[in-house]
Amino acid sequence: MEPIIEASAIIKIYRAGSTSVAALQGVDLCVGDGEFIAIMGTSGSGKSTLMNILGCLDRPTKGEYRLDGIPVHKMKPDEMAAVRNEKIGFVFQGFNLLSRTSAQENVELPLLYDRTHRMKNPREAAADALAQVGLGDRKHHDPNQLSGGEQQRVAVARAIVSRPAILMADEPTGNLDSKTTVEILDLFKELNNQGMTILMVTHEWDVAQRARRIIEMCDGRIVSDKSRSHEKALPSHLCLSIKEPDRGGWICES
Ligand code: ADP
Ligand code: MG
């Protein structure tokens, strides 16, 4: 598998006045093209900070990051934005859709802001993306006319409308009930089967089990990194009925 993400010795320090927080304390991570990864860890362990750096939303204080071979750590903010727009789609916990704006328009929006105009026909691309997430018949609904699960599917359509290589999702099921959680995870699986690399942050054990590789963070470091073979991945209906193991496994042994 070709690496698509190569991060080495990533350090992130947030400074505010005289205080500083070392959110990432030396993270090395290599992700192959086409992987489906869950990043786990307790609140404050650095998951979002890492995802923001890998997603070119923020830069590391120190360390090197290559995205699809491109040395992002050397880039200026506008160059980073261009790489981000081309290669990455984002999904967040809170859907972040524009209200009083149809699903179709919400999904079209990133294409209208894309100065490279890679997608020649935004309307068609948005309709295709909505069909792909199973909302072909909800195109003209506003977010407030859709359920939470449907809103998150619109957000996924918006993330994939420009056909990015990587989908990054930060707690994508955090606001969803278990049934719609399964629907979103099934959708991720399908996108991954079609070749999209997926990086998903979650603090829920059962959600993480749907990924092929699970990375666990603690205090700004990767403390475990485990892959499972495809066959061993649990089917969703089993996964969500299994009781969480004792959380000892997630506690840091520093
Ligand atoms: P997680 O997503 O795992 O909950 P974060 O990456 O959000 O963790 O945060 C890691 C650490 O960095 C925490 O201690 C958090 O308080 C701190 N942090 C995150 N963002 C900022 C920021 N913008 N400014 C200062 N500290 C921050
Ligand atoms: Mg977070």
Side-chain angles (χ1 to χ4, degrees):
M1 228 183 313
E2 282 290 304
I4 192 158
I5 281 174
E6 297 162 278
S8 75
I10 300 290
I11 288 176
K12 179 70 183 183
I13 296 169
Y14 291 110
R15 288 201 173 84
S18 57
T19 62
S20 65
V21 178
L24 296 177
Q25 312 201 46
V27 169
D28 296 301
L29 179 63
C30 188
V31 175
D33 192 12
E35 284 202 83
F36 183 174
I37 297 184
I39 301 175
M40 287 205 74
T42 50
S43 177
S45 57
K47 305 181 298 294
S48 295
T49 300
L50 179 62
M51 176 152 292
N52 290 346
I53 289 171
L54 299 180
C56 303
L57 289 164
D58 201 358
R59 319 150 143 292
T61 307
K62 243 178 146 181
E64 293 189 3
Y65 175 34
R66 283 185 173 70
L67 173 58
D68 213 2
I70 304 167
V72 178
H73 57 282
K74 292 182 180 161
M75 289 188 164
K76 300 193 187 83
D78 56 331
E79 294 172 318
M80 257 171 72
V83 173
R84 176 173 72 234
N85 291 339
E86 186 192 332
K87 308 233 177 251
I88 301 166
F90 291 97
V91 175
F92 300 99
Q93 177 171 359
F95 321 143
N96 299 7
L97 300 174
L98 293 181
S99 55
R100 294 188 294 278
T101 306
S102 69
Q104 168 78 26
E105 290 167 307
N106 265 288
V107 176
E108 265 179 52
L109 209 62
L111 300 180
L112 303 181
Y113 281 107
D114 175 17
R115 279 186 252 153
T116 65
H117 303 292
R118 262 176 309 131
M119 305 303 282
K120 300 292 171 230
N121 188 336
R123 186 177 298 179
E124 204 175 281
D128 286 351
L130 281 165
Q132 196 176 357
V133 302
L135 291 178
D137 57 346
R138 297 279 199 283
K139 284 200 285 266
H140 304 297
H141 288 57
D142 289 355
N144 66 7
Q145 299 169 312
L146 298 170
S147 70
E150 288 170 333
Q151 289 183 55
Q152 192 59 308
R153 280 194 274 159
V154 174
V156 173
R158 181 183 54 190
I160 63 171
V161 70
S162 60
R163 308 283 151 206
I166 311 177
L167 180 68
M168 295 196 181
D170 196 343
E171 306 276 5
T173 61
N175 285 353
L176 302 177
D177 60 35
S178 58
K179 181 170 166 285
T180 40
T181 291
V182 169
E183 284 170 17
I184 292 293
L185 294 172
D186 285 344
L187 180 56
F188 284 1
K189 184 95 184 286
E190 196 183 306
L191 293 169
N192 179 244
N193 287 342
Q194 292 162 13
M196 196 172 280
T197 305
I198 299 186
L199 241 70
M200 168 179 76
V201 164
T202 179
H203 63 269
E204 292 171 273
W205 181 85
D206 46 8
V207 168
Q209 301 311 305
R210 298 295 308 281
R212 302 241 186 105
R213 178 175 164 197
I214 302 176
I215 287 170
E216 191 191 331
M217 295 190 69
C218 187
D219 292 343
R221 290 191 177 87
I222 291 176
V223 293
S224 125
D225 186 342
K226 292 187 184 128
S227 295
R228 58 163 85 248
S229 70
H230 186 37
E231 308 77 63
K232 282 195 206 142
L234 292 170
S236 54
H237 64 281
L238 280 180
C239 218
L240 286 163
S241 59
I242 287 174
K243 244 175 85 68
E244 218 170 273
D246 90 66
R247 295 198 67 93
W250 306 124
I251 290 169
C252 207
E253 310 151 19
S254 54

